Amino acid sequence: AQVQREADQRVCTEVEAAVARVRSVEMSKIRMEESAKHAKQLAEARDELEGMWQKKLEHLRGSEAEFSEKSRRTEQEGEARAYQQRQRMLEEMEGVRRRDAQSRKEAEDAQLHVQKQEARVRELEALVERKVAEVERARLDNARHAESELARAKGELHAAHEA
């Protein structure tokens, strides 16, 4: 009976040890399965996050490329507008220079015309003065001639009257 109890107790101890081993092995297996499951979930989450970040990075690169292209186009348009503005200003300045040169030429031509007219007026004044002087001389000559003719005619008349 004592032997039986010792045998039962040994069997009981062995069974408990075997159950503890099985539990330990099962627990280890469960922990490993949970660890593997957790590692798989982490890997999936990491892959999902990497995919999401990759998409965001691609989107940002696309946005950056669009922004760069838009900036380049805007800059080109600004340069084109500035070039056109400079061309208009140059054309306007050239027009002003042409008008200024034309105005100067017209002023010089007018000045030359005025000088020619003044010279012509002086010539005409001198001619008129000469003609006036000639007319005056002719008048004086005619007056002297008329006086001498009158005096001669008077003398002849007087002589004819006395004779």
Side-chain angles (χ1 to χ4, degrees):
Q2 170 115 17
V3 175
Q4 184 66 32
R5 258 188 304 178
E6 284 178 13
D8 285 340
Q9 199 171 20
R10 211 176 346 164
V11 168
C12 214
T13 306
E14 286 177 16
V15 168
E16 284 177 10
V19 168
R21 268 193 312 275
V22 168
R23 278 188 185 153
S24 175
V25 168
E26 285 296 318
M27 287 301 273
S28 256
K29 189 176 175 185
I30 289 172
R31 279 190 205 114
M32 285 180 25
E33 285 174 0
E34 285 295 319
S35 180
K37 182 178 169 184
H38 185 64
K40 183 180 175 187
Q41 287 174 345
L42 282 176
E44 287 172 358
R46 184 186 67 233
D47 291 345
E48 184 180 329
L49 283 174
E50 283 179 2
M52 183 178 72
W53 287 113
Q54 189 64 35
K55 284 179 185 176
K56 284 186 178 185
L57 182 61
E58 288 172 9
H59 177 71
L60 286 174
R61 285 182 181 156
S63 295
E64 181 182 9
E66 286 175 20
F67 179 76
S68 294
E69 180 61 24
K70 185 176 179 181
S71 293
R72 185 188 63 75
R73 279 194 312 267
T74 302
E75 186 176 339
Q76 283 180 337
E77 290 169 359
E79 288 173 359
R81 281 192 301 273
Y83 175 77
Q84 290 170 352
Q85 181 67 23
R86 283 191 303 270
Q87 290 305 106
R88 281 193 299 273
M89 288 176 69
L90 288 172
E91 288 171 6
E92 192 173 315
M93 287 170 63
E94 185 59 32
V96 167
R97 279 190 212 115
R98 278 194 306 272
R99 287 189 299 276
D100 187 48
Q102 181 68 27
S103 294
R104 267 193 247 118
K105 180 163 181 5
E106 288 172 0
E108 289 169 2
D109 290 348
Q111 178 85 19
L112 186 60
H113 181 71
V114 165
Q115 289 171 350
K116 286 180 181 179
Q117 291 297 326
E118 287 174 348
R120 179 78 178 133
V121 166
R122 283 191 298 274
E123 288 173 11
L124 289 173
E125 285 175 347
L127 180 63
V128 166
E129 285 177 13
R130 282 194 305 273
K131 291 288 182 188
V132 166
E134 284 177 16
V135 167
E136 186 62 27
R137 272 192 302 273
R139 188 186 65 77
L140 287 174
D141 286 346
N142 286 339
R144 274 192 294 260
H145 182 64
E147 280 180 26
S148 73
E149 281 295 316
L150 184 61
R152 188 181 58 77
K154 274 187 186 178
E156 283 177 8
L157 191 61
H158 224 314
H161 203 8
E162 285 182 10

